[in-house]
Amino acid sequence: MTVIKEFRKVNHLLQKDLADFLGVSREFISMAESGKAPLPYNHLCKLRDNDKGWDVSMFTCGVSGGDHIEQNGGRGNIGKIAGDSGEVMSLRKENEMLRAQVEELKAQNEKYWNMIERLTGK
């Protein structure tokens, strides 16, 4: 099942409902669900950021075994659904390292500002 079809089924939507929301034809939704037409990336973003309260968990990292969506070569189409937990774990580790670096830089920044305040008396 494609992520678009899963999204539609989980949220109890008809193809027409989804088509109306995205401003496309029902036939296009059918083609996207069958893999015959790529869903533009901006449509995915519109689904993910919807204000209808729809479940979008199938679009996020770390849900259902680490599935996530990649943009297809920057061409604005949905690429693959990747369930490579090794890739997800690698990205999480990199994220943790970057967060630690940011915290370290914040601490250094505060240290330098304190030193400047002591030197200038302000």
Side-chain angles (χ1 to χ4, degrees), residues 60-76:
T60 56
C61 274
V63 176
S64 56
D67 289 349
H68 67 283
I69 296 183
E70 296 179 356
Q71 190 170 352
N72 185 7
R75 292 188 297 272

Side-chain angles (χ1 to χ4, degrees), residues 21-33:
F21 180 76
L22 294 175
V24 297
S25 69
R26 191 211 53 80
E27 291 78 14
F28 178 78
I29 297 298
S30 177
M31 290 177 16
E33 287 183 352

Side-chain angles (χ1 to χ4, degrees), residues 1-20 22 25-26 28-34 39 47 54-56 58-59:
M1 181 181 314
T2 66
V3 71
I4 301 306
K5 189 169 189 171
E6 179 183 357
F7 172 83
R8 190 172 60 77
K9 295 290 185 185
V10 164
N11 290 291
H12 309 286
L13 299 169
L14 300 173
Q15 286 182 340
K16 179 166 180 10
D17 299 330
L18 193 53
D20 290 344
L22 294 175
S25 69
R26 191 211 53 80
F28 178 78
I29 297 298
S30 177
M31 290 177 16
E33 287 183 352
S34 67
L39 186 69
L47 290 176
W54 291 332
D55 180 358
V56 295
M58 67 287 305
F59 295 134

Side-chain angles (χ1 to χ4, degrees), residues 23 30 44 46 48 53 60 64-65 79-80 85 94 105 107 111:
S30 177
L44 173 68
K46 188 173 181 178
R48 183 197 62 208
T60 56
S64 56
K80 62 179 181 171
S85 61
E94 184 178 352
L105 290 171
K111 176 182 165 185

